[in-house]
Amino acid sequence: MTHTEIEISAELVRDLLRDQHPDLADRPVRLGARGWDNQLWRLGDDLAVRLPWATQDADELLRKEHTWLPVLAPRLPLPIPVPQRLGEPSALFPHPWTVTTWVPGEPADRAPVARGAEAATALAAFLTALHRPAPEEVDTDGRGRGGPLAGSSEWVAQQLASATELGLIPDPDAVRAVWDDAAAAPGWAGPALWLHGDLHPANVLTADGTICGVIDFGDLFAGDPAVDLAAAWTLLPDDTADRFHAAYRPAPDAATLRRARGWAVIRALVGLHVGDAGVHGRPGGKATWGPPAHAALRRLIATAHR
């Protein structure tokens, strides 16, 4: 993460609004969240200001959201943040920024899904609606998520070894077996489909125990639906993956499910390291990412032994 040298504050947000969108400048401003790429500031009750503050890709990802989310939102059955205004770089702030709708709910890493059957059905309906062929001009790389799983085998081996050394994985051989099976699965031969690309628990919102919204589409790209179908193991409670797969359309074939399990391994390994960093106060750490990652690996190993 390479944080911007400019301190983002409520006063800066108000100054940006006064400069480019003065009709919104009198609304109350308060911090909503600090993510990997952007900070989110609440703007009244129903809007938010999204400003890049970390990573070199943040500006490009924000413009991508501004272009495509208004196109996708009308067909999706769950609320997503829909860009309403675009702010351009200026003397006040050297990056583009957006005003979006605010999606209420609590991130699932802090408020996990409790009503598994309802959440499985809701998530399946959302991904069924999202996973449609994307226009040719849409990115198919997804910051490294667009290629064959086998290309990530070296990274997975390194992360698995690191997590094992930290005492985070009691049975690395079982995790490796899940990964090896996934990496050997036939690749996706269908059209490049719209993908969220980053469906980890912090990007899915819950209320009353079920899923109520999906946020942070910066990694939106086109490709293999297995990337998103990994959410069956990383987001949903035990014994609900089958219900999710039964509700998703078209029904995923065996190879797609194998690849999805591989993507779930990747996401869980990231979560383990970020969670451990949070527990020990290291930069970029988020302690709430650890428990969902541990649960995902446990589910993946358990289902591998069926």
Side-chain angles (χ1 to χ4, degrees), residues 28 37 45 69 91 120 125-126 138 158 176 202 212 216 223 225 254 274 278 295 306:
D37 299 297
D45 294 328
L69 292 192
F126 177 82
V138 175
Q158 293 171 347
R176 189 175 297 108
C212 67
D216 197 349
V274 173
R306 282 184 183 179

Side-chain angles (χ1 to χ4, degrees), residues 14 30 53 60 84 93 127 164 175 196 201 211 222 283 290:
R14 289 193 194 93
R30 64 188 187 279
W53 81 304
E60 178 185 351
Q84 305 293 303
F93 190 68
L127 291 180
T164 303
V175 177
H196 179 280
I211 295 172

